Amino acid sequence: MSDQSSMEGGIGVIGAAALLTDEPHLAGTPDVVRDAPSRRRGISIATRGRLVLIGFVIPALVVYLLMVIIPSLQSVQLSFTNWDGISDSYDYIGAKNYEIILNDGRFWNAVKNTLILGLGSAVIVNVIALAIALMLDRLNHAQGLFRTAVYLPALVSAFIMATIWKYLLNYNFGMVNGVLRDLGLPSWTRDWLGDSGMVVWVILFIACFTLGGNTTLIYLANLQSVPQELLEAARIDGADGWKVFWNVTWPMIAGAVTVNMTLAMIAGWVIFDQVMVLTAGGPGFVSETMAFFIYKVGFGEYRAGFGSAAAVVLFIVVIVSTVGANAYMRKREIQA
């Protein structure tokens, strides 16, 4: 009994020495005693790491709250007022702004244009970008060159790109009409930005041209991550190119389709730069989108309360459509 007590006492002395000298590897020290300082250091390091992360996040969070969240909540409040955007005071008028919106033909024309640009750009951009990505994926030479050429339009801001297209599409001295005249096709020339029946489709084309670069690269990255073993196995089983794509490649890139469709829809809903530069909503109000309509009535016509109500409606449209489409496509991913 005395020998056992002496052994336990010796272990206790060794453990205490290890703790005091910070030498956890002393011979005869139990594992529990040796691991105690390292556990304490690990907890301390982890805690410091979390504090550092919080320190980086808090400034950005404060800026985001001040610049985005609080103004957004304030716009909901202002949507129930008749504020003109300048005066110090305003009156609460209830849901009158929303009632006016429901009966405003100009607003519903903006909604129609936004739907055309949002859904149209999402579908067209994704179809063309996927086709280009498939071609780039099969290239054996100069793939980097063509990839750079495809991505270059995405490097130019929407404002600058719209300005370039404005000069190209000018009726009198634009290059598009100039080329048509040189080719002996003067009847094909159009006032591309002044034709009320065509201007929305011209803006759609320019928006697709701007958005295509990022979408193509996302598809290309996912195509190159598809396991070649699956493709080879499908070909050995006798599947042709279309069956290989539909049954192997398409399910494997389902995540990229979801991401690209969501991003393209959001970009289409909030198109502003192109409309501002190309047409300023004209001719008349024909080419106005919801984003431009909000800007125009809020800052141009000094109807900030009405513009805030329209902004709330736009927010609801974007959230409902994006969440719904995303949920549907996520379900397709799971099934795939």
Side-chain angles (χ1 to χ4, degrees):
M1 187 70 179
S2 60
D3 293 338
Q4 183 178 359
S5 300
S6 300
M7 184 179 296
E8 291 177 354
I11 292 174
V13 171
I14 295 173
L19 293 175
L20 291 174
T21 60
D22 199 21
E23 293 291 341
H25 300 294
L26 290 175
T29 306
D31 293 340
V32 175
V33 176
R34 290 202 306 266
D35 293 342
S38 61
R39 284 203 305 271
R40 287 206 301 271
R41 286 199 301 271
I43 293 173
S44 178
I45 292 173
T47 302
R48 287 199 299 268
R50 284 193 292 269
L51 292 176
V52 171
L53 291 177
I54 293 174
F56 278 108
V57 169
I58 287 178
L61 182 61
V62 170
V63 172
Y64 187 75
L65 287 172
L66 293 177
M67 302 300 294
V68 178
I69 301 299
I70 293 177
S72 298
L73 295 176
Q74 189 177 18
S75 68
V76 177
Q77 173 199 358
L78 294 175
S79 68
F80 297 100
T81 70
N82 62 352
W83 188 42
D84 59 6
I86 299 177
S87 303
D88 295 333
S89 60
Y90 49 79
D91 299 321
Y92 284 91
I93 58 176
K96 186 175 180 180
N97 286 327
Y98 293 96
E99 294 175 3
I100 297 174
I101 284 176
L102 294 177
N103 299 297
D104 191 343
R106 177 184 172 189
F107 172 80
W108 288 110
N109 177 72
V111 171
K112 181 192 71 174
N113 292 338
T114 304
L115 289 174
I116 292 174
L117 295 174
L119 295 177
S121 62
V123 174
I124 294 173
V125 166
N126 278 275
V127 170
I128 296 177
L130 180 57
I132 295 175
L134 287 169
M135 290 188 290
L136 290 176
D137 188 48
R138 297 186 178 185
L139 284 178
N140 296 322
H141 303 286
Q143 187 182 92
L145 174 63
F146 288 103
R147 187 188 308 171
T148 303
V150 169
Y151 187 70
L152 278 178
L155 298 177
V156 183
S157 70
F159 183 90
I160 295 175
M161 184 65 69
T163 303
I164 295 172
W165 278 105
K166 184 176 182 179
Y167 285 102
L168 292 176
L169 296 173
N170 185 276
Y171 179 77
N172 295 314
F173 56 82
M175 189 183 74
V176 174
N177 282 343
V179 170
L180 291 174
R181 294 187 185 99
D182 293 339
L183 293 175
L185 301 171
S187 60
W188 288 26
T189 59
R190 293 286 187 279
D191 187 2
W192 304 100
L193 301 177
D195 189 338
S196 59
M198 183 180 297
V199 63
V200 175
W201 304 104
V202 173
I203 295 174
L204 175 61
F205 167 78
I206 296 173
C208 292
F209 186 83
T210 305
L211 297 174
N214 289 321
T215 308
T216 302
L217 287 190
I218 293 175
Y219 278 132
L220 182 60
N222 279 263
L223 286 171
Q224 293 180 343
S225 66
V226 175
Q228 294 298 315
E229 296 82 3
L230 296 178
L231 301 176
E232 291 296 332
R235 295 189 185 100
I236 291 173
D237 289 339
D240 57 15
W242 169 250
K243 290 182 179 179
V244 170
F245 171 77
W246 185 251
N247 295 294
V248 180
T249 306
W250 179 252
M252 295 295 293
I253 63 171
V257 176
T258 301
V259 170
N260 282 331
M261 285 293 293
T262 303
L263 293 177
M265 285 180 63
I266 294 175
W269 292 149
V270 296
I271 282 180
F272 175 82
D273 296 356
Q274 292 89 337
V275 177
M276 181 68 181
V277 174
L278 293 170
T279 64
F285 305 119
V286 170
S287 62
E288 284 185 340
T289 60
M290 290 181 68
F292 186 82
F293 175 83
I294 293 168
Y295 161 78
K296 192 71 174 179
V297 300
F299 298 97
E301 301 174 9
Y302 303 105
R303 301 164 64 193
F306 184 73
S308 297
V312 172
V313 174
L314 175 60
F315 174 78
I316 294 173
V317 169
V318 172
I319 290 296
V320 171
S321 61
T322 303
V323 171
N326 197 274
Y328 171 77
M329 289 184 287
R330 288 294 180 189
K331 185 187 299 184
R332 187 188 67 81
E333 286 183 40
I334 296 173
Q335 291 175 348

